[in-house]
């Protein structure tokens, strides 16, 4: 019998035999350089997740699928957790949140132009077209603004699509985590295209990223506590800071990709 094939609820209650290792499935998606099946160590965040659980003797398998499917699958209890999501009140009904994994800025990307653009509130964008990515966590204010102005909002499946639409002048700006946005811009587009893009300040938001554990799974509190303890061990060993430095220096870029 393969232990890792057991449902998460049963697996969470199973105590390993001497010398055996527990294993869990975690739903995730493509969000380079933080999470990706094509990146070294599955990207920065998933490297941290695997290492933190590894500190506690637990083996992790990442299941890659569209973000909305990962979220809903974890919510139903099909997976032990989903990696990873920004803190948001909407998660609290169905999930337990881990200790923060990241602290990130979400900024607006736009095409460079001779027209300066400064913003203090979303109403400053009333004459612009905004692109959003489906199922992403932005801010409640932004989604309320989008619902009130549907004629100027475009919702697509991925940030890559939004960058293409930005370059094709079908939208004027879109919000994305800053490092993720630049990773996509420089990793997927020619330099002459990348040089057409800039970001706006101030940020739309500053968010912390978390592992989500479904409340409907009986073992979720235990998994969360084990993960948090493992994460604390990484911090004390200085490994978390090392991983963060690797992220900044391009250590989680795709093989062969310019850093």
């Amino acid at each position: 019998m393969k232990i890792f094939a057991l449902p998460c609820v049963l697996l969470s209650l199973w105590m390993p035999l001497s010398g055996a290792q527990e294993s869990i499935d975690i739903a995730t998606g493509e969000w380079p350089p933080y999470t990706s099946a094509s990146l070294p160590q599955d990207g920065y965040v998933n490297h941290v997740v695997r290492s933190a659980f590894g500190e506690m003797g637990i083996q992790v398998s990442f299941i890659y699928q569209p973000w909305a499917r990962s979220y809903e699958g974890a919510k139903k209890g099909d997976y032990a957790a989903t990696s990873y999501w920004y803190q948001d009140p909407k998660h609290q009904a169905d999930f337990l949140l881990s200790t923060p994994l990241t602290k990130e800025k979400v900024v607006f990307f736009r095409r460079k132009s001779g027209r300066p653009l400064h913003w203090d509130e979303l109403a400053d964008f009333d004459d612009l077209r905004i692109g959003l990515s489906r199922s992403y966590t932005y801010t409640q204010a932004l989604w309320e603004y989008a619902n009130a102005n549907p004629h100027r909002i475009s919702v697509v499946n991925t940030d890559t699509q939004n960058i293409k639409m930005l370059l094709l002048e079908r939208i004027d700006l879109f919000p994305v985590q800053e490092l993720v946005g630049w990773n996509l811009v420089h990793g997927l587009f020619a330099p002459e295209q990348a040089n057409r893009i800039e970001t706006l300040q101030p940020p739309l938001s500053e968010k912390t990223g978390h592992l989500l554990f479904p409340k409907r799974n009986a073992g979720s509190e235990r998994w969360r506590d084990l993960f948090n303890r493992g994460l604390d061990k990484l911090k004390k060993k200085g490994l978390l800071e090392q991983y963060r430095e690797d992220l900044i220096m391009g250590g989680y870029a795709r093989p062969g990709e310019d850093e």
Side-chain angles (χ1 to χ4, degrees):
M1 179 177 67
K2 295 182 178 180
I3 296 300
F4 58 79
L6 289 172
C8 292
V9 174
L10 296 180
L11 180 58
S12 65
L13 300 176
W14 173 77
M15 295 302 292
L17 299 174
S18 178
Q21 186 179 37
E22 291 185 86
S23 61
I24 59 174
D25 290 341
I26 295 180
T28 190
E30 292 291 326
W31 183 248
Y34 292 92
T35 64
S36 177
S38 64
L39 295 182
Q41 302 291 345
D42 288 271
Y44 167 72
V45 163
N46 283 346
H47 188 194
V48 172
V49 170
R50 180 183 286 115
S51 297
F53 274 120
E55 289 286 333
M56 307 306 295
I58 299 164
Q59 182 178 342
V60 173
S61 294
F62 291 109
I63 311 300
Y64 285 88
Q65 48 195 353
W67 284 108
R69 192 182 305 168
S70 287
Y71 188 90
E72 290 302 318
K75 179 178 174 180
K76 291 188 296 183
D78 295 340
Y79 307 100
T82 177
S83 173
Y84 72 114
W85 299 82
Y86 291 153
Q87 185 175 23
D88 190 279
K90 71 179 183 181
H91 303 320
Q92 295 173 359
D94 301 297
F95 293 98
L96 303 173
L97 277 66
S98 73
T99 297
L101 284 159
T102 64
K103 185 175 181 180
E104 307 166 38
K105 292 181 180 180
V106 176
V107 300
F108 284 101
F109 279 60
R110 74 156 188 163
R111 291 183 310 280
K112 291 179 181 177
S113 71
R115 172 193 172 191
L117 179 58
H118 303 285
W119 77 285
D120 296 306
E121 55 185 23
L122 293 170
D124 293 333
F125 299 142
D126 277 354
D127 60 342
L128 300 176
R129 299 162 296 174
I130 300 175
L132 301 178
S133 296
R134 187 169 285 109
S135 300
Y136 285 9
T137 304
Y138 295 116
T139 64
Q140 182 177 353
L142 179 56
W143 283 118
E144 290 175 353
Y145 180 83
N147 291 333
N149 300 275
H151 58 290
R152 286 185 287 99
I153 302 296
S154 169
V155 181
V156 297
N157 290 326
T158 69
D159 292 324
T160 299
Q161 288 175 278
N162 268 319
I163 294 173
K164 290 178 180 178
M165 292 179 68
L166 190 64
L167 291 169
L168 291 170
E169 301 185 14
R170 294 175 183 170
I171 59 174
D172 299 303
L173 67 164
F174 82 101
V176 63
Q177 196 277 343
E178 191 168 16
L179 190 55
V180 169
W182 285 123
N183 183 83
L184 290 171
V185 168
H186 291 294
L188 300 176
F189 297 91
E192 58 269 24
Q193 297 297 324
N195 289 336
R196 296 176 57 201
I197 294 177
E198 64 182 4
T199 59
L200 297 180
Q201 295 298 327
L204 170 67
S205 63
E206 293 191 39
K207 297 278 191 177
T208 53
H210 302 257
L211 210 55
L212 302 185
F213 298 86
K215 287 185 176 180
R216 71 178 303 160
N217 280 359
S220 284
E221 186 172 350
R222 173 175 175 261
W223 289 129
R224 181 200 59 188
D225 292 346
L226 286 170
F227 173 76
N228 288 346
R229 286 166 55 194
L231 188 64
D232 189 57
K233 287 188 175 185
L234 291 182
K235 291 178 182 177
K236 290 178 178 177
K237 289 181 176 181
L239 289 174
L240 204 58
E241 183 63 26
Q242 177 185 319
Y243 295 168
R244 178 65 181 172
E245 290 178 6
D246 289 345
L247 172 66
I248 298 301
M249 298 304 295
Y252 295 96
R254 289 185 175 88
E257 186 175 273
D258 291 335
E259 296 182 4

